[in-house]
């Protein structure tokens, strides 16, 4: 089984939570459009002024998704 990688987009400011929540919608649309095997997405509020949106991809899809969507960072899932 290949590794799973969590791609993360950071949002900061007073509306960061709403922005991250909205960004997740676009991540789901991308998964459907590209017919990716994993469909794990989400958003989290990390503080009053910081939130993230994320999606999980496999090693095989990481380069394609990274180049297309330009996440801010990544970590093993």
């Amino acid at each position: 089984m290949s590794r799973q990688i969590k791609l993360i987009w950071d949002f900061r400011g007073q509306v960061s939570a709403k922005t991250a929540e909205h960004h997740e919608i676009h991540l789901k649309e991308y998964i459907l459009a590209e017919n990716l095997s994993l469909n794990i997405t989400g958003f989290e509020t990390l503080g009053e002024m910081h939130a993230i949106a994320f999606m999980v991809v496999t090693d095989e899809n990481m380069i394609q998704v990274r180049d297309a969507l330009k996440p801010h960072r990544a970590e093993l899932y």
Side-chain angles (χ1 to χ4, degrees), residues 18-32:
K18 282 293 191 188
T19 305
E21 183 178 3
H22 181 78
H23 191 72
E24 183 192 15
I25 294 168
H26 295 296
L27 295 176
K28 289 179 179 182
E29 291 171 347
Y30 181 83
I31 289 169
L32 288 174

Side-chain angles (χ1 to χ4, degrees), residues 50-64:
H50 185 203
I52 63 168
F54 66 88
M55 74 183 289
V56 178
V57 298
T58 60
D59 268 342
E60 294 79 29
N61 299 115
M62 193 277 296
I63 300 293
Q64 167 200 343

Side-chain angles (χ1 to χ4, degrees), residues 3-65:
R3 290 186 309 173
Q4 295 180 345
I5 301 167
K6 181 179 181 180
L7 302 176
I8 302 168
W9 289 262
D10 290 288
F11 300 97
R12 299 189 185 274
Q14 293 178 335
V15 295
S16 60
K18 282 293 191 188
T19 305
E21 183 178 3
H22 181 78
H23 191 72
E24 183 192 15
I25 294 168
H26 295 296
L27 295 176
K28 289 179 179 182
E29 291 171 347
Y30 181 83
I31 289 169
L32 288 174
E34 297 297 321
N35 199 25
L36 298 179
S37 59
L38 290 178
N39 63 352
I40 302 170
T41 63
F43 67 94
E44 297 174 20
T45 302
L46 302 178
E48 194 175 306
M49 302 284 275
H50 185 203
I52 63 168
F54 66 88
M55 74 183 289
V56 178
V57 298
T58 60
D59 268 342
E60 294 79 29
N61 299 115
M62 193 277 296
I63 300 293
Q64 167 200 343
V65 176

